[in-house]
Amino acid sequence: MSPGAEPAGTAEWYRHFGTVDAPGNSPCYAEWSQGIADDPELIRRIDAFPHNKRQPLLMLAAARFLGARIGPYAEFRRFLDAHWDGISRIVLSRSTQTNEAGRCAALLPSLGRIAAAEKRPLALIEVGASAGLTLYPDRYGYEFDDGAGSVTQLAPAGAAPGTYPVLRCATAGPVPVPASLPVVAWRAGIDLNPLDIRDPE
């Protein structure tokens, strides 16, 4: 958005999320967001929230937190009607903190090159670390698929198969996938509201 421009309308925000951001990650969220975008009554309710509380991911997460089941939009819409007061309380009292471990697959080639160039272990610091899941690129397994029949697999040193998550990544062009995972000697995360993944909330 250019400086001074008005923020996009709520319906457009949800439509964009449903057609650009969610597909490929969550077909359900894509369907729900497009349904919301075409639902003037629901848009009116969402518009009663402060602007920073209208974001699709926050509203959808609040509904899921209260028990909305993956399913067709019509069923989700009925859930929203039945639980709107609770959803509103969550939306107004919470915020999203996205922490996607899959980002490590995109970062790993660069981290590998830095470690190889410096010939020493890495020290990582992350600003906005949330639960810190991207501070552990050396603890995940990876599969880099070039789409032409070549798949490079990497595993954490000394870890038995099945004891670590595997992050899959499709690549295009000359991606400098390392031959092994770089060693991380030190790591720290900074966040205004760090999350504890052991907390059920």
Side-chain angles (χ1 to χ4, degrees):
M1 183 164 56
S2 60
E6 288 295 314
T10 303
E12 289 78 14
W13 195 355
Y14 278 76
R15 187 168 291 107
H16 182 272
F17 185 82
T19 57
V20 176
D21 298 329
N25 294 309
S26 174
C28 180
Y29 273 21
E31 179 188 345
W32 289 356
S33 296
Q34 291 177 66
I36 292 168
D38 294 331
D39 189 327
E41 167 58 23
L42 199 47
I43 293 297
R44 184 192 62 74
R45 288 192 223 168
I46 295 169
D47 275 339
F49 298 146
H51 188 266
N52 67 327
K53 297 293 185 175
R54 297 176 198 166
Q55 58 179 293
L57 198 53
L58 178 58
M59 209 280 288
L60 298 173
R64 290 283 288 141
F65 184 79
L66 288 180
R69 296 183 309 163
I70 300 297
Y73 178 72
E75 180 182 317
F76 177 65
R77 182 62 166 84
R78 288 191 293 273
F79 181 91
L80 294 179
D81 284 340
H83 298 88
W84 189 255
D85 287 346
I87 291 167
S88 297
R89 277 192 300 275
I90 291 172
V91 164
L92 293 172
S93 64
R94 302 215 179 194
S95 60
T96 57
Q97 280 187 271
T98 56
N99 202 187
E100 171 54 64
R103 295 173 183 157
C104 288
L107 296 171
L108 189 71
S110 294
L111 295 176
R113 289 186 88 168
I114 293 167
E118 296 296 320
K119 295 181 175 49
R120 56 184 174 174
L122 296 173
L124 300 178
I125 187 165
E126 182 179 8
V127 178
S130 190
L133 299 181
T134 54
L135 280 168
Y136 295 91
D138 54 331
R139 307 263 177 98
Y140 304 121
Y142 299 85
E143 287 185 4
F144 291 93
D145 186 343
D146 70 0
S150 176
V151 177
T152 302
Q153 297 180 326
L154 300 171
T163 62
Y164 51 85
V166 177
L167 308 178
R168 292 172 175 84
C169 182
T171 64
V175 177
V177 176
S180 62
L181 298 184
V183 174
V184 178
W186 180 90
R187 65 192 96 219
I190 299 172
D191 200 283
L192 292 174
N193 181 29
L195 299 181
D196 182 350
I197 60 172
R198 298 165 296 187
D199 182 350
E201 285 287 303

